[in-house]
Amino acid sequence: MFDIGDLIEISLFHTSRPLLATIQQANNKLLVLALDHPAEANLLREGTRLCLRCAAEEGLYVMETTVLKCSDRLFVVPKERLGFQQRRRSERLSCNFLGCYKPHTSLEEMQKAGPEEGEVTYIMDISQGGCLIRTKQILLAGTAIGLRIELNDGEPLFAEASVVRCTLAKDKDSKKGAYEVGLKFTRMLRVHQLCLMRLLHELAEAA
């Protein structure tokens, strides 16, 4: 974990906007990282406190550390003690996000599409492995869809998913022809996996 090539999400304690970086060099004591967006280099300086997050299949690894050196988009931090935020793939957490989906649409096609394209949906709960959405359309089990989830920080999360089940809503919305659809995530970019794990941790802390 925290090896060369790993994509890392960075939280600065003086700003809520996360940054992204890739590990360029690593040894037992130090990490050398490169910011994905060079224009963000002005946010880092020697002594800046950081929280680094790295996604793995079993959960999210976290390291709090301090910038030792920085030059343009490159910066060096000491390796500190790792924390581990474990999240079972099946643990679903309640949420209320707006989203949209398009059947038989790839992740890349969904990213290129505008937020107004596709069927509007509401995400009712979410886990590392999937989510429950509400829609006015019947979706057959096994249908592949492209999914866009609008998060509160303004950065959408994209995924390819497969329909597991589709049932009539069990509340007053059922009279309006609303359906609850269970989805299984089948493909997600690494950056969105990191985003999802951070989101799950925040939802669990707020629950």
Side-chain angles (χ1 to χ4, degrees):
M1 195 49 55
F2 285 89
D3 294 324
I4 294 173
D6 283 350
L7 180 67
I8 305 297
E9 184 184 73
I10 304 168
S11 293
L12 282 68
F13 292 95
H14 62 274
T15 178
S16 60
R17 182 165 59 91
L19 312 178
L20 291 175
T22 303
I23 297 178
Q24 305 296 309
Q25 298 179 37
N27 58 33
N28 292 333
K29 295 183 178 181
L30 299 173
L31 296 173
V32 178
L33 300 97
L35 289 169
D36 281 17
H37 302 289
E40 297 173 334
N42 65 327
L43 297 174
L44 300 180
R45 54 182 54 87
E46 292 183 16
T48 301
R49 289 287 293 164
L50 307 174
C51 180
L52 309 182
R53 296 183 178 89
C54 185
E57 182 67 22
E58 64 272 16
L60 191 66
Y61 288 88
V62 180
M63 180 192 300
E64 291 188 8
T65 187
T66 304
V67 176
L68 295 178
K69 298 179 181 179
C70 52
S71 176
D72 297 325
R73 59 194 288 259
L74 294 175
F75 62 100
V76 181
V77 299
K79 275 190 171 180
E80 303 288 355
R81 183 177 178 179
L82 283 179
F84 181 59
Q85 297 172 351
Q86 188 171 8
R87 181 66 53 202
R88 292 186 293 111
R89 291 187 63 87
S90 60
E91 184 176 357
R92 291 185 177 270
L93 296 169
S94 296
C95 62
N96 184 24
F97 297 117
L98 182 66
C100 65
Y101 68 88
K102 295 178 70 176
H104 313 296
T105 303
S106 70
L107 189 152
E108 288 79 11
E109 290 170 332
M110 205 65 197
Q111 287 181 297
K112 293 178 181 178
E116 72 284 353
E117 297 185 43
E119 296 288 339
V120 174
T121 186
Y122 293 92
I123 290 78
M124 302 171 61
D125 67 37
I126 192 166
S127 72
Q128 188 180 343
C131 64
L132 181 69
I133 67 172
R134 178 163 292 198
T135 177
K136 294 182 178 180
Q137 305 297 322
I138 296 176
L139 293 171
L140 298 178
T143 301
I145 69 169
L147 179 67
R148 176 190 179 111
I149 302 175
E150 301 292 345
L151 303 181
N152 294 333
D153 62 5
E155 291 294 329
L157 186 154
F158 295 93
E160 290 178 12
S162 177
V163 175
V164 177
R165 66 182 184 280
C166 179
T167 59
L168 192 65
K170 298 178 181 178
D171 56 19
K172 60 182 180 180
D173 286 343
S174 63
K175 299 179 181 179
K176 303 177 184 178
Y179 296 89
E180 294 181 357
V181 181
L183 299 176
K184 177 183 178 181
F185 296 139
T186 56
R187 181 171 173 242
M188 189 180 294
L189 296 180
R190 191 75 167 173
V191 61
H192 293 137
Q193 292 175 10
L194 273 168
C195 180
L196 175 59
M197 287 187 175
R198 173 167 52 84
L199 172 66
L200 292 174
H201 179 67
E202 292 172 354
L203 290 173
E205 289 291 307

